[in-house]
Amino acid sequence: MSDVPARDREVVAGAIFRGGRLLLAQRTSPPALAGRWELPGGKVEEFETPQAALARELREELAVEVRCGTRIGVDVQLSAGLVLRAYRAELVSGEPVALDHAQLAWVDAEELLSMDLVDNDRAWIPELLEELRAL
Ligand code: C5P
C-alpha cells in the first residue's frame, strides 16, 4: 500500500476571451444538460497534462489550436475523485466551430449573466465577469 494519496482526475474547461467577449458552447448531451451552455473542455486522460488535454479537447471540439494559460475560478468537485478546473486559453490558430456542440456564442459581461450555464460552470461567473469587464 502506498502512503501517497490518489490525486483527483481532472476535467478541464477553456475560457477563450476575444475582443471583450467570452466563448461559450451549447451542450447537446446528456439530455438533462442539452441546451445549456458551458466552457468547452473534457476529461484529462491518464498520463496527460491538463494543458495538453485542454489543447486536445478544444482541437477536437472547436477545430482550433490554443495555448493553455493560467487557472481561472475555483475547483469544482464533480464527484469523489473528479474535479473540474477552468483555464484561460489563448487562440493560436483557427476560428472556433461547433464540431461537438449545438452552437457557439461570444458573450459580453451582460450576456453572460443571461445565459443558461450548466450549474458547475456557474461557480466561475464572478471571475469571468471580472475578466470581461476589465477587457
Ligand atoms: O464534456 P464531458 O462530458 O467530457 O465532461 C465530463 C464531465 O464534466 C461531465 O460531467 C460534464 O458535465 C462536466 N463538465 C462541466 N462543465 C464543463 C465541462 C465539463 O460540468 N465546462
Side-chain angles (χ1 to χ4, degrees):
M1 279 269 287
S2 159
D3 294 323
V4 182
R7 267 199 288 163
D8 282 348
R9 285 289 299 278
E10 190 171 335
V11 177
V12 291
I16 303 177
F17 294 96
R18 187 170 70 185
R21 292 175 175 270
L22 168 71
L23 184 70
L24 294 181
Q26 189 179 36
R27 290 193 66 110
T28 59
S29 66
L33 296 181
R36 301 187 67 187
W37 295 82
E38 67 174 6
L39 298 187
K43 249 188 200 167
V44 179
E45 304 286 356
E46 216 178 344
F47 307 120
E48 190 180 40
T49 63
Q51 290 75 16
L54 187 71
R56 176 183 52 74
E57 288 286 348
L58 299 192
R59 189 181 304 126
E60 290 170 3
E61 295 183 359
L62 306 174
V64 293
E65 292 300 321
V66 301
R67 199 166 8 245
C68 181
T70 52
R71 291 278 318 280
I72 182 165
V74 295
D75 285 11
V76 180
Q77 201 72 39
L78 294 180
S79 59
L82 191 64
V83 66
L84 172 67
R85 297 194 173 110
Y87 293 79
R88 294 175 184 79
E90 184 193 334
L91 269 180
V92 174
S93 64
E95 181 62 26
V97 286
L99 298 180
D100 204 41
H101 289 87
Q103 55 178 329
L104 305 179
W106 289 97
V107 299
D108 64 17
E110 299 323 306
E111 289 161 348
L112 175 62
L113 286 170
S114 69
M115 301 297 281
D116 185 17
L117 285 189
V118 297
D119 292 341
N120 294 327
D121 295 24
R122 301 195 78 82
W124 303 323
I125 287 178
E127 291 81 9
L128 295 171
L129 277 181
E130 194 180 338
E131 189 116 345
L132 283 169
R133 288 182 170 143
L135 290 173

